[in-house]
Amino acid sequence: MISGVLWILIVGASIEDPLLREPYRRRALSLAQSEALPADPTNESSQDPRAVVLGEMLFKEPGLSGDGKTSCASCHDPARGFVDGKQHPRGFALIPRDTPALWDVAGQRWWGWDGRWDSLWMQALAPIESEMEMKGDRLQVIRFIAGNSDFKKRYEQIFGPLPSLDGMPPRSRDRNGPVASWMALGAGRKTAVNRAFTNVGKAMAAFERTLRSPTTPFDSYLRALADGDRKAATEYHPGARRGLLLFIGKGNCVSCHNGPLLSDGEFHDTGLLTSGSAARDAGRYGGIQELKDNPFRSSGRYSDDPDGAISGRTERLRRDPMLWGAFRTPALRQSLHTAPYFHDGSLVDLEAVVRFYSRREGARPAGAGHGHHREAMLKPLDLTPGEEQDLLRFLRSLSSGSKSNQG
Ligand code: HEC
Ligand code: HEC
């Protein structure tokens, strides 16, 4: 009789999941996927189904690049979870930053590791003309669309007539910068070309908005938690549950990796060897200046909402030395399939990421190279080997079994 009670107590205690109680339940549920993405008033076509189709065609189209061989999909390969798997992607040069995946990308607030873009459509224009990425040009892009009857028809149905390119040079800029005959054009003609170019970005952004991450074991668990379905909740591996507790509890990962994307969308120095005030890559500090100087920013003339909340956020940005070498907190869904990790791709797998946070492997020695940073260095969590395994299991459970969202 006594041993029976004891047995029930022991088994009862071991199956009672702390995540079913507050504050853990609430904290865990704050990470649930959101159905709706924030609207983008700077892009009136962001939810136009015709723009989604055109945007996908453009995303995969090598004809927009300088050599006719490179497309967005060359680096953001849909079959590989929208990454290239390389530490340093190669377009026309080795790029010092890791290629981010594009899952739920429309849920971000700033784009790029340094946040130098404040809309998805503005972002899409940069790689097309980048010397390191596609080496294309806005005039070449518009000529390509004008010369292809299918693309032209689809474009004009959404955005109206393409501008005339009569008398315009082949490219607006070359290796030496802007081409003189482009600069000499009247402001109206240049604006019309720029507007058509931004429409290409707006169509691509509409497509990117549809890239939603598939349901993961973690999402199924949160659903069970929300429904109070204890039985379904036990299907989530106990190790992953312990890892989740570390993530929202002792490990305090949620101070930065929070909300539906598991990212606060802001910029931090995690103490990586190559981040912080001694970093060669200026990170957010450089990103703010680039954003403010870019005519395609959300407060500029090509935005469909230049006086709205998004542009207000950009105009209020101030460069703070503390932001030197700070990078945007990455979203974590599907990250199992997007190695390597961190802005410079220096951590090869999720095991290395866990060792980084647990033992500070790959981190700067405390106190080094962040003299004027107010942000305190993360302390080693010194997890036990078992806890490291749990955290790893949790991180893996944020991804589905498949790299693409098709299966
Ligand atoms: C040569 C490889 C390469 C090509 C081609 C390329 N990208 Fe990227 N992409 C990258 C890298 C590297 C970054 C990170 C850049 C940074 O943060 O400085 C990036 C960043 C992005 C981001 C920001 C994601 C985020 O989470 O902030 C988006 C969106 C994106 N690319 C879309 C595109 C589109 C659209 C195209 C085609 C017009 C394209 N990329 C072409 C490598 C590439
Ligand atoms: C101070 C904010 C902060 C905290 C706390 C934090 N992270 Fe991060 N995390 C970041 C930032 C910023 C990056 C990217 C840094 C870089 O690229 O230099 C990152 C990168 C990552 C990555 C790599 C993702 C990718 O796609 O490259 C993973 C995984 C990760 N963190 C998991 C965790 C876990 C697990 C914890 C808790 C043990 C944690 N983080 C705590 C801010 C934080």
Side-chain angles (χ1 to χ4, degrees):
M1 164 70 186
I2 289 176
S3 70
V5 169
L6 210 61
W7 185 85
I8 289 168
L9 279 177
I10 292 166
V11 172
S14 67
I15 57 171
E16 173 59 9
D17 185 348
L19 289 159
L20 297 169
R21 293 195 307 266
E22 302 304 350
Y24 298 115
R25 183 176 173 278
R26 185 172 30 82
R27 266 187 228 165
L29 287 175
S30 71
L31 305 174
Q33 275 270 41
S34 61
E35 284 295 323
L37 290 166
D40 180 6
T42 71
N43 177 4
E44 279 173 359
S45 307
S46 71
Q47 301 193 59
D48 181 335
R50 297 171 304 176
V52 173
V53 175
L54 175 63
E56 177 165 13
M57 290 167 66
L58 291 165
F59 189 88
K60 296 176 176 166
E61 179 51 64
L64 307 186
S65 66
D67 67 350
K69 291 185 190 144
T70 317
S71 72
C72 311
S74 307
C75 295
H76 303 281
D77 181 353
R80 305 184 62 138
F82 296 98
V83 290
D84 47 20
K86 299 184 182 125
Q87 181 181 14
H88 298 303
R90 183 180 283 284
F92 285 85
L94 271 189
I95 297 174
R97 290 192 185 151
D98 179 51
T99 308
L102 302 181
W103 298 113
D104 308 312
V105 70
Q108 292 288 353
R109 187 181 310 137
W110 315 106
W111 287 269
W113 287 102
D114 56 7
R116 67 187 178 285
W117 301 296
D118 67 356
S119 73
L120 260 185
W121 58 268
M122 171 200 195
Q123 191 289 324
L125 307 176
I128 297 177
E129 290 196 323
S130 156
E131 285 291 310
M132 290 204 289
E133 292 172 71
M134 292 165 69
K135 254 190 182 165
D137 179 84
R138 60 196 73 179
L139 286 171
Q140 184 198 328
V141 165
I142 295 163
R143 247 185 222 105
F144 172 83
I145 295 175
N148 177 308
S149 57
D150 187 28
F151 273 105
K152 181 169 189 285
K153 193 173 102 222
R154 290 175 186 276
Y155 174 97
E156 295 192 332
Q157 274 171 0
I158 308 165
F159 302 110
L162 281 162
S164 151
L165 297 185
D166 288 350
M168 293 210 186
R171 294 174 64 101
S172 70
R173 48 172 40 245
D174 59 20
R175 258 200 320 272
N176 307 316
V179 171
S181 52
W182 159 257
M183 293 306 284
L185 289 170
R189 293 200 73 197
K190 273 192 290 210
T191 304
V193 166
N194 288 346
R195 192 167 298 285
F197 185 47
T198 56
N199 288 339
V200 167
K202 287 175 182 176
M204 285 190 182
F207 163 62
E208 290 175 293
R209 203 180 162 82
T210 65
L211 304 175
R212 301 303 307 271
S213 59
T215 304
T216 64
F218 175 60
D219 296 310
S220 306
Y221 174 67
L222 291 184
R223 169 54 49 85
L225 210 58
D227 295 347
D229 186 342
R230 288 174 180 240
K231 186 159 171 296
T234 57
E235 278 163 29
Y236 189 48
H237 194 284
R241 274 184 264 159
R242 291 192 298 268
L244 168 58
L245 261 184
L246 287 168
F247 193 85
I248 61 179
K250 168 178 155 188
N252 202 22
C253 313
V254 277
S255 63
C256 302
H257 296 278
N258 52 44
L261 298 179
L262 289 91
S263 164
D264 60 359
E266 289 300 330
F267 302 82
H268 305 276
D269 167 20
T270 53
L272 194 71
L273 266 180
T274 50
S275 65
S277 63
R280 272 192 300 173
D281 188 328
R284 183 56 167 161
Y285 186 78
I288 290 181
Q289 194 60 47
E290 281 194 51
L291 174 54
K292 293 208 162 208
D293 290 344
N294 193 318
F296 299 123
R297 69 188 182 282
S298 61
S299 52
R301 67 197 305 178
Y302 303 101
S303 164
D304 296 328
D305 188 28
D307 304 314
I310 294 178
S311 51
R313 200 156 63 197
T314 295
E315 294 309 301
R316 281 193 304 277
L317 285 177
R318 293 284 168 269
R319 276 212 297 180
D320 180 333
M322 195 184 119
L323 294 171
W324 187 283
F327 297 91
R328 197 194 69 204
T329 309
L332 297 183
R333 279 198 173 72
Q334 288 304 86
S335 55
L336 179 58
H337 308 302
T338 63
Y341 303 101
F342 283 63
H343 73 277
D344 59 353
S346 60
L347 299 182
V348 291
D349 49 26
L350 287 176
E351 283 84 345
V353 173
V354 167
R355 287 198 301 275
F356 169 78
Y357 285 112
S358 175
R359 312 176 208 164
R360 306 303 283 158
E361 262 182 48
R364 302 191 298 278
H370 71 122
H372 56 243
H373 275 223
R374 290 194 293 272
E375 189 162 286
M377 283 276 273
L378 292 174
K379 303 237 160 37
L381 293 172
D382 287 328
L383 304 176
T384 65
E387 287 173 322
E388 287 187 2
Q389 283 309 311
D390 290 343
L391 189 57
L392 189 59
R393 203 178 267 279
F394 165 67
L395 290 175
R396 290 206 174 113
S397 78
L398 297 171
S399 302
S400 67
S402 158
K403 286 183 186 182
S404 74
N405 61 347
Q406 259 76 51

